[in-house]
Amino acid sequence: KDARRLGGDFTVEENAKRLLRFFLFERDTLRAIAGWSMGTPEFEVKVEFGRHIYWHADAGMKIRTRLTELRTAEETTDKFQSDEIAEFFAELIYSESPAHFVAALYSVLLPAMKLAYVEHSAHTDQVADAPTIRMIKQLLVDYDEMIAWGKVAIEAYVQGGYEEASLHKWQYH
């Protein structure tokens, strides 16, 4: 028996609007990581940043391709902006230290994005939007690995002398 349901909670237009936001988050995330990689002294963190930049670029390209399949013009995708998303990234990139950036990115942003992807998959049309669901399943593999790495990196920063309370305060902010 096929457990998928026909029909979802989003129109095609709403689905595309949500995917545009996902695309913008992926693009801005890779840009933020790229910017912080230059000022991060820890070699091990730089190496992971490089890998994660690739994964976010790959995610962005997959979403961009899916938007094209949903008949969203590439120009619309590339020019899409959101004041709320821009405000969030303005705060993120001005983190006090690499440890604060890692704490915000891997304990706040990426878990929130993962949840948004999971919820989107659950509420979109399980039959007609199967390509989006498949794409999100692929992205979540990388998200799980990045979030797990982030937890270990934050622990290492704390063991290395960063105040855990300061990192938690920044995460809350």
Side-chain angles (χ1 to χ4, degrees):
K1 182 178 179 181
D2 191 346
R4 296 176 301 165
R5 66 183 164 93
L6 187 57
D9 296 336
F10 314 127
T11 63
V12 173
E13 293 78 19
E14 178 65 20
N15 189 31
K17 284 180 187 178
R18 289 167 169 268
L19 290 175
L20 277 170
R21 290 179 65 81
F22 290 152
F23 173 79
L24 184 57
F25 267 105
E26 294 294 346
R27 184 176 64 192
D28 287 354
T29 299
L30 79 87
R31 288 177 175 172
I33 297 170
W36 265 98
S37 68
M38 303 254 320
T40 300
E42 299 85 11
F43 178 74
E44 300 84 357
V45 176
K46 286 180 180 281
V47 168
E48 282 304 305
F49 277 178
R51 193 162 66 128
H52 298 174
I53 288 168
Y54 175 81
W55 285 345
H56 288 292
D58 185 53
M61 289 307 298
K62 286 177 179 174
I63 295 168
R64 189 172 189 270
T65 299
R66 182 67 185 133
L67 282 162
T68 302
E69 294 167 354
L70 293 171
R71 303 203 176 165
T72 301
E74 290 179 349
E75 183 177 348
T76 300
T77 301
D78 293 340
K79 289 185 176 183
F80 178 75
Q81 293 295 322
S82 162
D83 291 340
E84 297 86 7
I85 295 171
E87 184 178 346
F88 174 82
F89 279 96
E91 289 293 318
L92 178 65
I93 63 171
Y94 288 111
S95 295
E96 181 179 319
S97 69
H100 288 81
F101 177 74
V102 167
L105 181 65
Y106 294 93
S107 291
V108 179
L109 176 59
L110 296 189
M113 285 297 298
K114 178 183 174 182
L115 179 60
Y117 283 139
V118 168
E119 288 181 359
H120 188 85
S121 289
H123 292 279
T124 195
D125 189 310
Q126 302 296 298
V127 177
D129 202 23
T132 298
I133 294 169
R134 181 176 185 270
M135 173 193 70
I136 288 173
K137 283 180 183 177
Q138 293 169 345
L139 301 183
L140 291 176
V141 171
D142 294 339
Y143 267 74
D144 287 340
E145 192 168 330
M146 288 186 287
I147 291 168
W149 175 84
K151 286 180 183 180
V152 173
I154 293 165
E155 289 172 13
Y157 274 122
V158 170
Q159 291 173 0
Y162 282 88
E163 290 183 25
E164 190 171 11
S166 175
L167 298 179
H168 285 305
K169 182 179 177 183
W170 183 241
Q171 290 168 333
Y172 182 74
H173 171 73

